[in-house]
Amino acid sequence: MAAKIIAFDAPKNSATKERILDAAEALFMEHGFEATSLRQITATAGVNLAAVNYHFGSKEELFQAVLTRRLDPMNQERIGLLTRFEREAAPRALSCERILAAMFIPALRLARDRRRGGKDFLRLLGRAYADPAPFIRQFLSEQYAVMISRFKAAFGRALPQLPKRELSWRLHFVMGALSYTLAGTDALKLIAELNPRDTHNDETLLRRLAPFLVAGLKAPLPDLVELDGENVAQARIR
Amino acid sequence: MAAKIIAFDAPKNSATKERILDAAEALFMEHGFEATSLRQITATAGVNLAAVNYHFGSKEELFQAVLTRRLDPMNQERIGLLTRFEREAAPRALSCERILAAMFIPALRLARDRRRGGKDFLRLLGRAYADPAPFIRQFLSEQYAVMISRFKAAFGRALPQLPKRELSWRLHFVMGALSYTLAGTDALKLIAELNPRDTHNDETLLRRLAPFLVAGLKAPLPDLVELDGENVAQARIR
DNA sequence: GAATCACTTAAACGTTTGTTTGAATTCTAG
DNA sequence: CTAGAATTCAAACAAACGTTTAAGTGATTC
């Protein structure tokens, strides 16, 4: 009798790992890494406290596992999409818009699909970006290294007139705006009285972001910028 | 004799508060709010553990005090600068470049001046942006509300053809790129093999960021954007 | 010179933290 | 059916946490 009840609410096989990952993802997103306790996670997942250390080794390794589960496939998808777009456009070089699309679409898919983490995961990712914990920074570096260099090369071909140094910076700005936007912190609520229906409609969000970023990428070089007969450097001096 | 020694290393008056704020600022920046303990802070500051609760009430209130000390003057300076620029340009409307300059310059001054917190504080601010803790979010909202609405109005005059909804979004992107950039997380190190001399040269950094953002603000509206005869929405569908 | 003040101090408060242990249980083969 | 590996479990671990307390200090005020 007791066995039947157990069969109901206790997943016999190692779906335990999945349940822990799901609970950890939601809680890390909501409270951050440090502020989330293993007891909260295991209670939410409905598993024993020791399960985390048994399956993942430590809290830090659990956090990395939470990120890897979503991030690795997403970045793989980005690279795959970029390659496909390039093949389709060959022999012409890919436009900035298409390259950005290759970055956005996998993120959008992830945000849309609750089974893949949904918006919660992107917010968690946004948090992780700003986290100075060494183990997080190093982990993200490794996760992103291949994808970033791949996209940088693509943008380099799309913007051949742009010096590489400048491209590096602008790509950095792009990543900043993108992660800040996708993270969807409530900070934006103070910037805009946004239409509530818009607030988390990720598609329209990215469709607004894309032209903004493309224009930024194609902007004239800093030295040549004119502004009311005065450049920013001059404006800086009181 | 003992009195003399005490006079040396123990500030008799309430410079204790300042020492706590300084230590807390550095440690919060390095480890985040949750991961920083009051014992670390008081040990670094060379004061008694109970001093934090005596002078600030709680750890949360200390964190807010750390932010307020720098943030409030900076935003005041931003508003003041914007007002001055507007007077100087009158009756002509202010250009986007000048408005952005009014946002950047006070941040730049803060980043430059170690006595005002320097880059460390901006990194702390970048972290706080991404923190979901309610007391942090609400605090930042209150701190930024006035400044943001002021700048939004200014941009509205500079870009009269841009719908307000669109402006809200773009201002959000601007804040994202700016905070991400100023926070200067090491995440950028994986994006660019940047010249080490450039890496934290905030002035050149902002001079690169400004044209990028201005171009983004002036970008054509999303619906009208063309890209290789295909728009982003269409590209989205596999 | 006693009283009052702002402040500092050491010690302890009760919780909560991540991790470990060793026995119970379940699953997997031979 | 049984031996053995894999997993779950309750319990306990030491350590660290934010906060509070009550005594103590030294200067200021009446």
Side-chain angles (χ1 to χ4, degrees):
Chain A
M1 190 169 89
K4 271 193 178 177
I5 293 171
I6 287 172
F8 255 108
D9 58 3
K12 26 182 52 203
N13 67 358
S14 192
T16 300
K17 286 181 78 166
E18 291 294 326
R19 301 186 55 169
I20 291 176
L21 286 171
D22 289 340
E25 182 174 74
L27 289 169
F28 281 147
M29 182 277 297
E30 194 173 351
H31 305 114
F33 174 72
E34 301 281 355
T36 303
S37 74
L38 291 181
R39 283 169 177 83
Q40 291 174 45
I41 294 171
T42 53
T44 304
V47 302
N48 187 272
L49 169 61
V52 168
N53 290 278
Y54 177 80
H55 285 287
F56 298 95
S58 68
K59 190 186 178 187
E60 290 195 357
E61 287 170 285
L62 168 61
F63 186 76
Q64 294 182 6
V66 167
L67 289 186
T68 309
R69 180 170 65 146
R70 316 289 192 188
L71 206 51
D72 197 47
M74 183 178 78
N75 281 340
Q76 286 298 112
E77 197 182 345
R78 281 171 160 168
I79 293 173
L81 209 55
L82 181 62
T83 305
R84 218 195 71 199
F85 284 173
E86 280 172 337
R87 255 200 295 271
E88 288 173 5
R92 296 202 308 158
L94 219 47
S95 68
C96 285
E97 286 83 354
R98 297 286 282 174
I99 302 174
L100 274 183
M103 294 202 71
F104 286 5
I105 291 168
L108 231 175
R109 287 216 186 98
L110 195 150
R112 285 252 185 81
D113 189 351
R114 201 189 308 272
R115 289 161 310 187
R116 290 210 278 168
K119 289 183 282 287
D120 288 357
F121 176 74
L122 290 178
R123 294 189 60 176
L124 173 59
L125 198 56
R127 281 212 86 191
Y129 273 168
D131 202 306
F135 87 96
I136 295 180
R137 306 216 65 78
Q138 188 189 341
F139 175 79
L140 285 181
S141 293
E142 294 165 3
Q143 284 282 319
Y144 273 92
V146 187
M147 188 215 80
I148 288 291
S149 70
R150 185 76 177 72
F151 272 79
K152 203 163 111 178
F155 276 116
R157 283 188 292 273
L159 302 164
Q161 76 288 359
L162 196 66
K164 284 205 172 166
R165 170 93 53 87
E166 209 62 34
L167 174 60
S168 291
W169 281 112
R170 296 191 173 181
L171 197 46
H172 179 236
F173 302 149
V174 167
M175 290 294 295
L178 179 60
S179 75
Y180 187 89
T181 299
L182 285 180
T185 73
D186 296 288
L188 81 168
K189 287 195 178 151
L190 49 111
I191 292 177
E193 326 91 0
L194 296 168
N195 186 334
R197 302 210 319 107
D198 267 11
T199 305
H200 280 115
N201 186 339
D202 303 282
E203 182 180 340
T204 67
L205 193 155
L206 290 183
R207 284 177 65 187
R208 290 178 205 271
L209 178 57
F212 181 93
L213 294 180
V214 169
L217 284 168
K218 293 181 177 171
L221 291 180
D223 304 331
L224 307 174
V225 78
E226 304 173 23
L227 41 134
D228 299 349
E230 196 178 14
N231 68 31
V232 175
Q234 287 166 347
R236 188 181 51 78
I237 288 128
R238 174 179 279 270
Chain B
M1 187 169 95
K4 271 194 178 178
I5 292 171
I6 286 172
F8 254 109
D9 57 4
K12 26 182 52 201
N13 66 358
S14 192
T16 299
K17 284 182 81 167
E18 292 293 328
R19 301 186 54 167
I20 292 176
L21 286 171
D22 290 339
E25 183 173 74
L27 289 169
F28 281 146
M29 183 277 297
E30 194 173 350
H31 306 113
F33 174 72
E34 302 280 354
T36 303
S37 74
L38 292 182
R39 284 170 176 83
Q40 291 173 45
I41 294 171
T42 51
T44 303
V47 302
N48 188 273
L49 169 62
V52 168
N53 290 279
Y54 177 80
H55 285 286
F56 298 94
S58 69
K59 190 187 177 186
E60 290 195 357
E61 288 170 284
L62 168 62
F63 186 75
Q64 295 181 6
V66 167
L67 289 186
T68 310
R69 179 170 65 147
R70 316 288 192 190
L71 205 51
D72 197 46
M74 184 179 77
N75 281 340
Q76 287 299 114
E77 196 182 346
R78 280 171 161 168
I79 292 173
L81 208 55
L82 180 63
T83 307
R84 217 196 70 198
F85 284 173
E86 280 172 337
R87 255 201 294 271
E88 288 173 3
R92 296 201 309 157
L94 219 46
S95 68
C96 285
E97 287 83 354
R98 297 286 282 174
I99 302 174
L100 275 183
M103 294 203 71
F104 286 5
I105 292 168
L108 231 176
R109 288 217 184 97
L110 195 149
R112 285 251 185 81
D113 191 349
R114 201 189 307 270
R115 289 161 310 187
R116 291 210 277 168
K119 288 183 284 282
D120 287 358
F121 177 75
L122 289 178
R123 294 190 58 175
L124 172 59
L125 198 55
R127 281 213 87 191
Y129 272 169
D131 201 306
F135 87 95
I136 294 181
R137 306 217 64 79
Q138 187 190 341
F139 175 78
L140 284 180
S141 292
E142 294 165 4
Q143 284 282 319
Y144 272 92
V146 187
M147 188 215 79
I148 288 291
S149 70
R150 184 77 175 72
F151 273 79
K152 203 163 114 178
F155 276 117
R157 284 188 291 274
L159 302 163
Q161 76 289 359
L162 195 65
K164 283 207 172 161
R165 170 92 54 87
E166 209 61 36
L167 173 60
S168 291
W169 281 112
R170 295 190 175 182
L171 198 46
H172 178 236
F173 303 149
V174 167
M175 291 294 293
L178 179 60
S179 75
Y180 187 89
T181 299
L182 285 180
T185 75
D186 297 289
L188 80 169
K189 288 197 176 151
L190 49 112
I191 293 176
E193 326 90 0
L194 297 169
N195 187 333
R197 303 212 318 108
D198 267 11
T199 305
H200 280 115
N201 186 342
D202 303 281
E203 182 180 339
T204 67
L205 193 156
L206 290 184
R207 284 178 63 189
R208 290 176 204 271
L209 178 57
F212 181 93
L213 295 180
V214 169
L217 284 168
K218 293 180 178 171
L221 291 180
D223 304 331
L224 307 176
V225 78
E226 304 174 22
L227 42 134
D228 299 349
E230 197 178 14
N231 69 31
V232 176
Q234 288 167 345
R236 188 181 51 76
I237 288 130
R238 176 181 277 271

